[in-house]
Amino acid sequence: MDNHYCIYICGVGGQGIIKTSTIIGEAAMNQGLDVVMSEIHGMSQRGGSVSTELKIGGYDSSIIPNHAADMLLSFEPVETIRGLDKANSQTKIVYNTHPIVPSSTDKAYPSVDSITKTLKENFRHVLPIDGTRLAIEAGSVLSLNMVLLGAVTADDKFPLTKESVIDAMKNNLKPKFHEMNLKAIESGYRSIKG
Amino acid sequence: MNLNELVTGASGEKQFLLGNEAAVRGLVEAGVSIAATYPGTPSSEIGNVLSVLAKDANIYFEFSTNEKVAMEVAATAAASGLRSFTFMKHVGMNVAADSFMTTAYSGVTGGMVILSADDPSLFSSQNEQDTRNYARIANVPILEPSNCQEVKDMVKYAFDLSEEFGLPVIVRTTTRVSHMRGVVEFGDVKDNSSKGDDHWKRGHFNKDPSKYVPVPAFAGDMHIRLWDKIHKIEDIANKSEFNSEIKFTDDKAYGLIASSSAYNYAHDIVKFNNLDVNILKLGFSYPFPKDRVVEFLEDLDEVFIVEEVDPIIERDVFAAIGATNLDVIVHGKLDGTFPLYHEFNSDIVGEGMDKVLNFYEGGDVSYSSGLEKLQEDIPSRAPVLCAGCPHRAMYYGINLAIEELGLTPDDVIFASDIGCYTLGINPPYNAADYLLSMGSSVGDGCGFSVSTDQKVASFIGDSTFFHSGVSPLINAVHNKHNFVLTVLDNRITAMTGGQPNPGIPIDGMGDEAPEVSIRKLALACGCDYVRVINPFNLDQVVKTYVEAFKRDDTAVIISKAPCTLIKGLAKKPPVNFVEGNCNGCDKCVKELACPAISKVDGKITIDKAQCDGCNVCIQVCKYGALEAGR
């Protein structure tokens, strides 16, 4: 039962969230672990919020119960707040600090500093990373999902090895991007491990 | 994973697959020859994958104009001795129902399987109807997979069952099954190779009007034969390995019966809360396996029925209890233990079971008041029309035309249809007032035009027009209805992920195909006023709508420009903001509402990554503060 691990991944359509989740899932399968994942397609993709749920270790349901995620991995600050129903005080909350301001004008976008401060008041493991900057440094803003993938592998409780995640990445993405992706995964990993 | 693995993968190989991909592997293993669909989420990816793999898999595949045609393509293939497959979203079954009902009577020779994907919680649908009702209306077997492995296995098994009894078989998924990813172990592939010139093999139709032509003289016997089959299949359902008990305890007080994705939630609740409850999982749920269910119920005091959406198994369980005089209390949707609508999850199932079993211990999660406020204050991020979407330009223009004619928003009824353009419902466009189903905007235009003195503007997409917009347009012309029909021709079936349709010169297998002209169709239907406009030319849009609204017949405007998501389109340079010219009217932000334009710190900001260079905002700005990029 030690290998139970639930990750809720959220962000905005087009950030590579489903691909990231699929890579983790495939890596889990290759390590011989039970894994199920849920994703939403269709209307929700037109610039809307997107989320996937990944559950490793003996689950039949692919939906994470409320407050039961081991990790909340968010590609965007405000989406982190939207995903908090899945978190509890022990959940590792890793999020990219670069905002994508929605075109809706119902409410003002809160400052990222206030988001971080408020999260830290309520959760033990709050890990903001400037993933967008690290992605650009690795070669392209499009490697943001690889930076965050690297960050997941840095969690001590994460049941997969960095190597198996890298193998699954190589099996799912074009060879011409491998070098950039490896750089991005490494920088995400180091941003958590220090 | 490389998609080709779905065709070339060997028995015993494991892959991490989407439920819809697992369905495709099921087709490959079953040796299917003919497949047809109309795209609909949550079933769409099956077609997307087939359009890539069909030739390698020896399958003829087409995107039919609608689900009824797809059903007919599959039915005739099966009558010709081939294995055939049609798949659709749940509401597609309504369109296909007329032919589907008769297919149950006439039966099949080759195996025929229908996959219908339900959408509890309406992630991308207009209702939550439950396909399992169709199995009972038509009297055909239904299988309900819970996970990706079962999707593959049940699709494959459904063909054997269909062929053995000469009946079509339904496989019902839900969004959470079609869009679940899980580990799937491959099985053996049945040979379906072609010996002829085509990449798929041909069957032969053996004439037998008493079997295939349901005139009254024959159809009565067909109905008797149907019941004979169903009674025999009930025996099989009673013994099916898809109806199995998962034992957690020797305690006999409580039991639980579940199917599909609802089973997954129930399983995890029982397992992770160590509940003394055994589960009977019904994967083969119609014909209802009454004997198997009664055997499970016999020793129980109380039973939970966990199913999404309608209380169908629950009613069958009540009937079984009544017929056998069992003394078992039933907790399900009908007594309020579980909700009658929306999808379930472990929390919902757990809370329902907790009402009876009281196993949850308190421990509410509480946050600081600062976080609670932050949760309330974050901006929404609903789906929107993309930057550069031609629909936005058309909606902006039609609203200007209405203003120019001196009409108020209440003077014009917007009859919308199914597609991305339904997003026109949102402010500032407010361009969706009424909607029923695929193609309904045209029939709705007919009805409103005789029922009210209001003007009517109907909106329909290109693919939806081919699906079911043509016959109501003929009705409109012949019955002299007065409304403006806009066909939003964005050269693709956009909402479901970019499938081809008869308006573009490519078919479902990527081959060249004749392009069917929407303009010529409208003219052939008898419309006197048919105009093709470029939605990005605002003056032309406004002028055309002003003209069309003044008419008293069925006017057709084809708003033609490609969807910005079509791959390979040349990207135009993004718009520049000229700060010195901006007078702060915010018209570009508030009235156009393009996601690439926002106001940050009091200043208009163009998101250059998102801006598609459609240049509509330049025409909106009267002060020259937005200029074309170079």
Side-chain angles (χ1 to χ4, degrees), chain B residues 3-10 24-25 28 53-54 56-58 186 189:
Chain B
L3 274 183
N4 282 318
E5 292 287 329
L6 294 174
V7 177
T8 58
V24 173
R25 175 65 190 186
V28 170
L53 296 182
D56 292 335
N58 306 325
F186 290 0
V189 172

Side-chain angles (χ1 to χ4, degrees), chain B residues 275-341:
Chain B
L275 301 180
D276 287 326
V277 178
N278 291 325
I279 301 179
L280 178 64
K281 177 176 190 298
L282 291 188
F284 191 157
S285 62
Y286 188 83
F288 187 65
K290 190 181 129 203
D291 292 351
R292 182 70 190 86
V293 169
V294 167
E295 182 193 326
F296 178 72
L297 291 172
E298 266 167 348
D299 299 325
L300 300 177
D301 297 329
E302 303 184 34
V303 66
F304 296 94
I305 312 295
V306 186
E307 60 186 321
E308 297 163 314
V309 176
D310 291 340
I312 293 174
I313 291 173
E314 187 175 353
R315 289 203 166 100
D316 281 338
V317 166
F318 270 118
I321 289 172
T324 50
N325 275 324
L326 287 175
D327 183 15
V328 182
I329 297 169
V330 178
H331 301 290
K333 288 167 174 276
L334 297 171
D335 73 342
T337 302
F338 305 111
L340 279 154
Y341 35 74

